[in-house]
Amino acid sequence: MLHKLPELSYGYDALEPYFDKQTMEIHHTKHHQTYVDKLNAALEDHKNLQNKEVEDLLRDLEAVPDRIRTAVRNHGGGHFNHSFFWPMLRKETNFGGDVAQAINSAFGGFDNFRDKFSNAAALLFGSGWAWLVWSNNELQVITTPNQDNPLSLGKTPILGIDVWEHAYYLKYQNRRPEYINAFFNVVNWDKVNEYFHAARG
Ligand code: MN
């Protein structure tokens, strides 16, 4: 099985003015495509791994041969993270449902959660992601460097923000906190609820 770039269910300009069209287009067609291509290249001589879902590769990186483990971690992670990210973005959805209840009870309200998540994203040094994850039957905010994914830590992502500069530099330059603020206008809470239900079982 060759991994493929998923299509977006919306136009590149759909998240304006928060996420700009040019960034979205380059991010999807260039950055994400490159992760897909390099993951496929890494798996080329490993027929037994080609039928595995990328989630399963990331959940058990130890099962991936040494020679390609770093490539699968980076490019498989990049492919999974972005495939997770795109559908989690949409304007004008409402913070609600079971995940809202769980966030309110875990963090003492939405504002506290937002502060905690935003700080984690802002303070992460270099490139990586901040996440809301489901782990041992509770919600946690964590960060991962590079394209590492919570799945490799035994945790399930519910919500995530890409804080690589390629995600915001064209519009926000060095102002990562402004990008993080903008992100909260394009969180698709319906999808986050779906991820939450799938994680909680
Ligand atoms: Mn990215």
Side-chain angles (χ1 to χ4, degrees):
M1 167 180 86
L2 279 182
H3 294 279
K4 284 197 188 120
L5 183 70
E7 284 187 23
L8 301 194
S9 65
Y10 47 78
Y12 292 120
D13 61 355
L15 305 175
E16 290 271 8
Y18 306 106
F19 286 12
D20 64 289
K21 179 182 177 187
Q22 189 185 16
T23 298
M24 287 296 294
E25 183 161 9
I26 295 172
H27 201 170
H28 181 244
T29 63
K30 306 292 186 201
H31 293 279
H32 190 171
Q33 181 71 60
T34 301
Y35 296 123
V36 170
D37 293 345
K38 291 191 173 176
L39 173 63
N40 284 329
L43 297 177
E44 203 170 352
D45 298 327
H46 298 267
K47 292 262 178 278
N48 59 322
L49 297 179
Q50 287 172 1
N51 293 323
K52 281 192 159 189
E53 298 293 340
V54 67
E55 290 93 319
D56 295 327
L57 294 172
L58 296 175
R59 276 195 191 100
D60 191 9
L61 283 169
E62 291 301 311
V64 175
D66 285 358
R67 198 167 66 79
I68 61 165
R69 189 175 301 137
T70 300
V72 168
R73 178 175 176 171
N74 291 340
H75 304 299
H79 176 37
F80 177 81
N81 290 343
H82 291 83
S83 300
F84 173 92
F85 190 53
W86 308 128
M88 203 206 70
L89 302 174
R90 204 170 89 196
K91 284 202 293 198
E92 289 160 13
T93 65
N94 291 319
F95 177 68
D98 292 339
V99 77
Q101 266 188 352
I103 286 173
N104 287 336
S105 100
F107 300 99
F110 176 74
D111 290 346
N112 286 345
F113 161 68
R114 182 183 163 138
D115 285 351
K116 185 168 181 151
F117 184 89
S118 298
N119 283 334
L123 294 173
L124 172 63
F125 183 75
S127 296
W129 293 70
W131 306 96
L132 176 67
V133 299
W134 185 248
S135 175
N136 294 323
N137 286 312
E138 63 170 29
L139 291 174
Q140 297 174 344
V141 170
I142 66 164
T143 60
T144 56
N146 305 312
Q147 294 296 354
D148 287 359
N149 185 276
L151 292 173
S152 305
L153 304 169
K155 302 171 189 288
T156 308
I158 307 292
L159 169 74
I161 182 172
D162 184 348
V163 293
W164 282 58
E165 285 186 345
H166 69 225
Y168 61 87
Y169 205 85
L170 290 177
K171 184 174 173 77
Y172 297 100
Q173 291 84 48
N174 60 323
R175 302 185 305 277
R176 189 192 284 185
E178 279 184 35
Y179 159 72
I180 297 166
N181 278 337
F183 167 79
F184 277 98
N185 291 291
V186 296
V187 172
N188 180 355
W189 288 106
D190 300 331
K191 190 68 188 179
V192 175
N193 253 302
E194 221 180 283
Y195 285 148
F196 176 64
H197 288 142
R200 192 187 52 175

